[in-house]
Amino acid sequence: MTERTARQRYSLLRRRIDAGLLAIVRETRPPEMMKVTKHVIRAGGKRIRPVLTLLSCQAVGGQPRQAMHAAVAVELLHSFTLIHDDIMDHAPTRRGLPSVHALWGVDSGILAGDLILGLGYDSLQRTGSPVQIRLSTRFTKALLDVCEGQAVDLQFPGRRSVTVREYFAMIEKKTGALFRLSTALGGLIGSGSDRQVEALERYGVHIGRAFQIQDDLLDVVAEERAFGKIVGGDIREKKKTFLLVRAMRKAKGSDRTSLLRAFGGDVRPAKRVRIVTEIYRRLGVLEEARKRIHHETTRARESISGLPRNNGTAMLGWIAGALEARTF
Amino acid sequence: MTERTARQRYSLLRRRIDAGLLAIVRETRPPEMMKVTKHVIRAGGKRIRPVLTLLSCQAVGGQPRQAMHAAVAVELLHSFTLIHDDIMDHAPTRRGLPSVHALWGVDSGILAGDLILGLGYDSLQRTGSPVQIRLSTRFTKALLDVCEGQAVDLQFPGRRSVTVREYFAMIEKKTGALFRLSTALGGLIGSGSDRQVEALERYGVHIGRAFQIQDDLLDVVAEERAFGKIVGGDIREKKKTFLLVRAMRKAKGSDRTSLLRAFGGDVRPAKRVRIVTEIYRRLGVLEEARKRIHHETTRARESISGLPRNNGTAMLGWIAGALEARTF
């Protein structure tokens, strides 16, 4: 599959998902809330999770469209977490647009999140798969995992130190659970064997980690406009990231003192970003993040090496590569 | 069935539900969140919705215990709405105890609500019923209805007038949907016929209305301690209730002016409660509420008159009577 074909294929799936999302969001009641739910959907995003659902279905021999309702459900579950997390993180923007609570207040944010989660379950239940009950069980498991991860994440800023292990355990729940769900649902709907579904889940876990670390990395190195959020936003908000937990582990002497001071005291956010970014570079944690992304995308590709060779698996392989090359 | 037997039977079911709730809440992750979810469960309540689920199952010939997971799910869905609604309504207390967000902050309130909704779906999915998919569909429909009702309710205080019809349409969604769900799930799990399930749903709708109007009435006439919340709380917070929409409809001349001034201007809350309660009495809307409760409980009993005579239907009849007699 050529790069161009793969990109076109991805765009096509993404457009179909956007259409599916818009269709279900149009059913928002009361109509006054529709401007809120539409805003969330229109804010966009790469739709990587629902695309993984469609491709995972195809990878085990199904048709991508069989998994469309589930794919839309996964994206709605993701959107629900973004809306509520943005309230808890006091995030003024999301994907370059004002966040829901910034536009309509916290009350509407809470309610819009609840509604979108409800629409997510609604969409999932439209799948009409023989394994419908297993889909619902997985979906609920992921919802509980995401809440658990968010609860742990909320406790982190109040803690003096977070180990690399603790950070990964949190990330595994908060963002990993959704990637795993995305691929598992597609595999189940496509009538994959238990073994195939497990392989897809492993792929999802590794891609999820790579995606998260790249997200942390882009926060520091990306161009503001292209990335749609403020560079250094994680540092400004004192968020624990892969870069920070690694830097805290490696920093000695004056670097360690500077790091602790930057995150502890009354250092102005812009200055904090400058100091911390400089330390990240000096300690080599940016390079370490790139290596880790390579490791995870390699493991992702290995996970699905036993699946049939078809357009679905080819696209899953392409996504791993594109994620690593940061062309994604 | 004697009054005493009925009361004992109700207590027994309620204790079983409490045990079921505690069992699932003990699975809260991370453990730090368990104090929050346990607080919600321990705050208590009459558990009328889950009791209706168990009794509806029995009414169509099933065993109450078959519907236990679904009953627990209904109460968790109800608890989820209370936690999030309390944040939106800035309610400092719930069932006589501090509300979740008052104790642990808005962030924990949002998250605890999300977690408890997830646990609700989790519980429902444990039912293992042949009609599992229909249970999930109903549950999600109720979730969406409740959110819709809450969204409409949030818009009410900003509006000059709300018609009786609009008020009932809102209540039908915000609280009626859960009562309807409670009885429908029990009927479905007990393998009731479509006709029987519909009869139980009608019973649920009427009981839900009676329950809500009594809630509005008790806000004005109840003893503070017995009721576990501040008397006149709805008036203090300018909430639209059955009493208010009826009073606005009936009030003329100086009563109308006083009502509009009490809810419009800078009248102190305690004074507002005094003025409004006095007008309610003068206009006879308290008596009207009592009549309406009688009407709805009568309709509830009629709805299930075609069901088999057994302990389940006897208890459903008793609940309607107890609700009317305000001994419930």
Side-chain angles (χ1 to χ4, degrees):
Chain A
M1 188 177 290
T2 66
E3 175 70 17
R4 194 173 160 205
T5 314
R7 288 200 167 273
Q8 283 176 342
R9 180 91 185 115
Y10 192 96
S11 293
L12 178 69
L13 295 177
R14 186 173 164 173
R15 280 199 303 277
R16 285 196 187 145
I17 288 157
D18 281 339
L21 282 165
L22 204 58
I24 193 148
V25 156
R26 279 212 189 93
E27 296 180 26
T28 307
R29 296 284 173 280
E32 292 83 1
M33 285 300 289
M34 205 187 300
K35 64 177 184 299
V36 184
T37 53
K38 269 195 181 166
H39 170 83
V40 175
I41 296 313
R42 286 199 176 131
K46 284 189 273 290
R47 312 291 192 212
I48 183 168
R49 296 166 193 78
V51 168
L52 292 180
T53 305
L54 301 183
L55 293 175
S56 296
C57 180
Q58 192 176 26
V60 296
Q63 295 292 325
R65 68 168 177 278
Q66 291 174 263
M68 183 54 82
H69 289 304
V72 165
V74 163
E75 185 67 10
L76 291 170
L77 176 55
H78 175 56
S79 300
F80 145 80
T81 67
L82 297 184
I83 300 169
H84 281 188
D85 287 3
D86 281 349
I87 299 173
M88 300 183 219
D89 299 341
H90 310 282
T93 60
R94 165 65 65 182
R95 291 165 173 167
L97 292 175
S99 47
V100 169
H101 69 98
L103 278 175
W104 291 285
V106 168
D107 291 356
S108 291
I110 295 173
L111 200 51
D114 295 345
L115 262 169
I116 283 179
L117 177 60
L119 290 173
Y121 269 104
D122 191 6
S123 186
L124 185 72
Q125 285 157 359
R126 293 178 195 204
T127 304
S129 159
V131 292
Q132 194 68 37
I133 292 166
R134 289 174 71 188
L135 305 182
S136 292
T137 308
R138 297 278 186 138
F139 195 80
T140 298
K141 175 76 170 62
L143 165 61
L144 288 171
D145 280 346
V146 169
C147 290
E148 180 181 344
Q150 172 66 5
V152 173
D153 199 13
L154 280 180
Q155 294 160 6
F156 278 176
R159 293 178 48 179
R160 279 202 59 194
S161 74
V162 171
T163 66
V164 176
R165 181 192 292 262
E166 285 173 324
Y167 169 77
F168 271 107
M170 180 277 288
I171 279 299
E172 215 68 26
K173 299 276 181 180
K174 182 169 169 171
T175 75
L178 260 172
F179 277 90
R180 175 183 285 204
L181 174 72
S182 303
T183 51
L185 292 185
L188 286 167
I189 294 167
S191 306
S193 66
D194 287 353
R195 202 170 212 168
Q196 289 178 325
V197 173
E198 279 162 30
L200 286 165
E201 283 191 275
R202 280 196 304 278
Y203 169 92
V205 167
H206 291 298
I207 286 292
R209 284 184 199 153
F211 191 83
Q212 181 60 44
I213 297 168
Q214 202 191 58
D215 200 55
D216 291 352
L217 187 62
L218 286 173
D219 184 67
V220 175
V221 302
E223 292 295 320
E224 192 147 330
R225 208 169 46 177
F227 195 43
K229 69 181 199 187
I230 299 158
V231 174
D234 293 343
I235 301 173
R236 279 168 205 269
E237 289 156 34
K238 303 185 185 181
K239 277 184 73 178
K240 295 288 189 295
T241 62
F242 175 82
L243 304 173
L244 179 57
V245 292
R246 287 304 300 154
M248 284 303 290
R249 178 72 179 261
K250 293 174 94 174
K252 305 229 184 298
S254 67
D255 276 347
R256 190 167 183 83
T257 316
S258 299
L259 260 184
L260 286 171
R261 198 177 293 152
F263 281 96
D266 323 310
V267 181
R268 276 182 302 104
K271 192 177 174 195
R272 188 187 309 133
V273 173
R274 212 162 51 240
I275 295 169
V276 173
T277 308
E278 179 53 35
I279 296 174
Y280 283 173
R281 286 188 205 282
R282 196 155 54 233
L283 293 176
V285 296
L286 304 180
E287 192 45 43
E288 207 179 312
R290 288 189 191 99
K291 275 188 189 147
R292 185 74 188 233
I293 292 167
H294 170 72
H295 172 75
E296 296 295 345
T297 53
T298 306
R299 296 287 300 276
R301 268 187 289 233
E302 286 166 5
S303 303
I304 53 168
S305 60
L307 295 185
R309 289 179 184 273
N310 57 34
N311 283 337
T313 45
M315 279 297 292
L316 290 177
W318 175 79
I319 286 175
L323 202 54
E324 187 181 349
R326 290 181 44 215
T327 55
F328 186 73
Chain B
M1 188 176 291
T2 66
E3 175 72 15
R4 195 173 157 204
T5 314
R7 287 200 170 273
Q8 282 175 342
R9 180 90 186 118
Y10 192 95
S11 293
L12 177 69
L13 295 176
R14 187 174 165 173
R15 281 198 303 277
R16 285 196 187 144
I17 288 157
D18 281 338
L21 282 165
L22 204 59
I24 194 148
V25 157
R26 280 213 189 93
E27 296 181 25
T28 307
R29 296 284 173 279
E32 292 83 0
M33 285 300 288
M34 206 188 299
K35 63 177 187 296
V36 185
T37 52
K38 270 195 180 167
H39 170 83
V40 175
I41 297 313
R42 286 199 176 132
K46 285 189 273 290
R47 313 292 193 209
I48 184 168
R49 297 165 193 78
V51 168
L52 291 180
T53 305
L54 301 183
L55 293 175
S56 296
C57 180
Q58 192 175 24
V60 296
Q63 295 294 325
R65 66 170 179 277
Q66 292 175 262
M68 183 54 80
H69 289 304
V72 165
V74 164
E75 185 67 11
L76 290 170
L77 176 54
H78 176 55
S79 300
F80 145 81
T81 67
L82 297 185
I83 300 169
H84 281 189
D85 287 3
D86 281 348
I87 299 174
M88 300 181 219
D89 298 342
H90 309 283
T93 60
R94 165 66 63 183
R95 292 165 173 168
L97 291 176
S99 49
V100 170
H101 68 97
L103 279 175
W104 291 285
V106 168
D107 292 356
S108 291
I110 296 172
L111 200 51
D114 296 345
L115 262 170
I116 283 179
L117 177 60
L119 290 173
Y121 269 104
D122 191 5
S123 187
L124 185 72
Q125 285 156 359
R126 293 177 195 205
T127 304
S129 160
V131 292
Q132 194 68 39
I133 291 166
R134 289 174 72 189
L135 305 182
S136 293
T137 307
R138 297 279 185 134
F139 196 80
T140 298
K141 175 76 168 61
L143 166 61
L144 288 170
D145 280 346
V146 168
C147 290
E148 179 179 346
Q150 172 66 4
V152 172
D153 198 14
L154 279 180
Q155 295 160 6
F156 278 176
R159 292 178 50 180
R160 278 203 59 194
S161 73
V162 171
T163 66
V164 176
R165 181 191 291 263
E166 285 173 324
Y167 170 77
F168 272 108
M170 179 277 287
I171 280 299
E172 216 67 28
K173 299 275 181 180
K174 184 170 170 173
T175 76
L178 260 171
F179 278 89
R180 175 181 286 204
L181 174 72
S182 304
T183 51
L185 292 184
L188 286 167
I189 293 167
S191 307
S193 67
D194 287 354
R195 202 171 212 168
Q196 289 177 324
V197 173
E198 279 163 29
L200 286 165
E201 283 190 278
R202 279 196 305 279
Y203 169 91
V205 167
H206 291 299
I207 286 292
R209 283 184 200 154
F211 191 83
Q212 181 60 45
I213 296 168
Q214 204 192 55
D215 199 55
D216 291 352
L217 187 61
L218 285 173
D219 184 67
V220 175
V221 302
E223 293 295 318
E224 192 147 329
R225 210 169 45 177
F227 195 44
K229 70 181 202 188
I230 299 159
V231 174
D234 293 344
I235 301 172
R236 280 167 203 269
E237 289 156 33
K238 303 185 185 181
K239 277 184 73 177
K240 296 287 191 293
T241 63
F242 175 82
L243 304 173
L244 178 58
V245 293
R246 285 305 299 156
M248 285 301 292
R249 179 72 180 265
K250 293 174 94 174
K252 304 231 184 299
S254 67
D255 277 346
R256 189 168 185 82
T257 316
S258 300
L259 260 184
L260 286 171
R261 199 177 293 152
F263 282 96
D266 324 309
V267 181
R268 277 181 302 107
K271 192 177 176 193
R272 188 187 310 132
V273 173
R274 214 163 48 240
I275 295 169
V276 173
T277 308
E278 179 52 36
I279 296 175
Y280 283 174
R281 286 187 204 283
R282 197 155 53 233
L283 294 177
V285 295
L286 303 180
E287 193 45 43
E288 206 178 315
R290 289 189 190 101
K291 277 190 189 144
R292 185 75 186 234
I293 292 167
H294 169 74
H295 172 76
E296 297 294 346
T297 53
T298 306
R299 296 287 299 276
R301 269 187 288 233
E302 286 167 5
S303 303
I304 53 168
S305 60
L307 294 185
R309 288 178 186 274
N310 57 34
N311 283 337
T313 45
M315 280 296 293
L316 290 176
W318 175 78
I319 286 175
L323 203 54
E324 187 181 350
R326 289 179 46 213
T327 55
F328 187 73

